[in-house]
Amino acid sequence: MKKILLITSVLLVAVISTACINNFAVQDLNNKAQSYMQKGDYTQAIERLKSSIELDDSVFESHYNLAVAYTRLFEYEEAAASFRCAYRLNNSSESLESLLLCSLLEGDEERLKIDQKKYGISDTVVNRLRSEIIRRKVHIQS
């Protein structure tokens, strides 16, 4: 009985230690990714964030920041996939609108309609996002 209790205790400590180490590693990778993003090195940030997600795919910030990094590189399809994961984890309207913006910027009307139906997004919201894109393009051109 004592042996079983000892083995169980050792296993429990090992599991908890592994979880803590993973949390520290994920946080470290996310911090490094943030540093790369601040320097404009989005490719390196993406690599760190992918590694972070491999360790723990339940961290909203990893998916959201990965999506932002892809967006900065104009890789909207990849960004949309990461925004979908971020939305799945926290149901943030910002993640959902960013996802829709990626489809609009990519010009992927089919994907936009799929996401609009899946997430119950009204035409009013989509039209507001279209207007926002047009407004920003005009601002950039002037």
Side-chain angles (χ1 to χ4, degrees):
M1 183 66 162
K2 287 183 181 182
K3 285 183 181 181
I4 292 174
L5 184 59
L6 178 63
I7 291 171
T8 304
S9 297
V10 168
L11 288 174
L12 182 61
V13 168
V15 168
I16 291 171
S17 297
T18 302
C20 289
I21 290 169
N22 273 353
N23 286 342
F24 288 128
V26 166
Q27 189 60 48
D28 185 52
L29 286 164
N30 286 347
N31 289 341
K32 287 177 181 172
Q34 278 298 111
S35 177
Y36 281 119
M37 287 179 73
Q38 288 171 352
K39 295 175 189 173
D41 190 347
Y42 303 111
T43 303
Q44 287 297 319
I46 287 168
E47 293 306 313
R48 298 309 175 282
L49 291 163
K50 283 180 171 180
S51 295
S52 172
I53 291 167
E54 285 177 15
L55 287 174
D56 185 353
D57 69 348
S58 69
V59 179
F60 160 78
E61 291 81 7
S62 300
H63 291 282
Y64 188 84
N65 290 336
L66 180 60
V68 170
Y70 277 130
T71 301
R72 299 287 165 82
L73 294 176
F74 307 101
E75 296 179 15
Y76 298 119
E77 190 173 333
E78 291 84 354
S82 293
F83 279 127
R84 269 186 208 90
C85 291
Y87 181 73
R88 177 180 44 82
L89 291 169
N90 81 338
N91 293 330
S92 155
S93 62
E94 184 178 356
S95 297
L96 186 55
E97 286 192 4
S98 297
L99 161 62
L100 297 172
L101 280 168
C102 286
S103 293
L104 287 167
L105 290 167
E106 185 75 17
D108 191 345
E109 290 294 324
E110 184 178 330
R111 184 74 234 187
L112 177 65
K113 288 293 181 192
I114 291 168
D115 286 335
Q116 190 177 358
K117 184 177 179 179
K118 179 178 181 178
Y119 299 112
I121 305 301
S122 69
D123 287 336
T124 304
V125 170
V126 171
N127 289 332
R128 179 180 55 79
L129 293 172
R130 285 183 201 279
S131 296
E132 186 176 322
I133 290 171
I134 292 168
R135 194 172 41 250
R136 288 183 186 203
K137 283 183 179 179
V138 168
H139 177 73
I140 290 170
Q141 291 174 351
S142 52

